[in-house]
Amino acid sequence: MVPWKKVRLELGPTDDLPTGSVSRAYLLQLPLRENGHIDGVTLGVDPLRATARRFWTSEADQSGYVVQAEQRWRLVQLRAGYTHWEMASFADCAINPGEVIEFLEAGQFILPFVVADMQQL
């Protein structure tokens, strides 16, 4: 079985914040293979365990789930009527400490997030 990990991603350097921001982050709970890629089979066994939480100093926290759709991993919230609202998405890539992952925020703009911490659950 592939181990589940808690991953903290912090906003990396941007034009507005050249040093990034630890107060703008995501906390993900994911099954990660040794190479750092999300294991879709393990996730499929317990999909509600793959959680996402978005922390942003100027906005309320958002919580949701990680799902795979169209070659990307999407962070979605369940809303009334079983609809989904996408917080962000990212390409299938290795998630390892120090890696930079580009998130497409709410389908509008791309932001870099650095894998700041990773713990086994």
Side-chain angles (χ1 to χ4, degrees):
M1 195 65 134
V2 174
W4 284 81
K5 296 189 179 180
K6 186 177 284 190
V7 180
R8 181 177 173 86
L9 298 123
E10 297 174 351
L11 183 65
T14 65
D15 290 341
D16 293 335
L17 296 165
T19 60
S21 175
V22 298
S23 63
R24 294 178 175 134
Y26 283 93
L27 189 59
L28 307 179
Q29 189 168 292
L30 303 166
L32 295 177
R33 290 185 246 135
E34 284 185 30
N35 64 4
H37 285 264
I38 298 171
D39 185 79
V41 174
T42 302
L43 189 144
V45 171
D46 193 2
L48 296 180
R49 188 173 175 192
T51 58
R53 187 164 173 209
R54 182 181 187 268
F55 303 91
W56 217 257
T57 53
S58 59
E59 300 173 15
D61 289 359
Q62 298 175 5
S63 296
Y65 300 95
V66 180
V67 299
Q68 189 172 27
E70 302 172 15
Q71 309 283 329
R72 295 185 67 79
W73 293 102
R74 300 186 186 282
L75 311 181
V76 297
Q77 288 182 310
L78 297 177
R79 296 260 173 117
Y82 302 105
T83 60
H84 291 93
W85 180 77
E86 186 173 308
M87 293 186 283
S89 69
F90 59 96
D92 186 22
C93 61
I95 300 173
N96 293 307
E99 296 279 343
V100 176
I101 300 172
E102 290 187 338
F103 273 51
L104 179 59
E105 283 274 317
Q108 297 178 12
F109 48 91
I110 295 173
L111 290 175
F113 283 86
V114 177
V115 179
D117 188 44
M118 186 180 295
Q119 300 172 6
Q120 188 147 343
L121 296 173

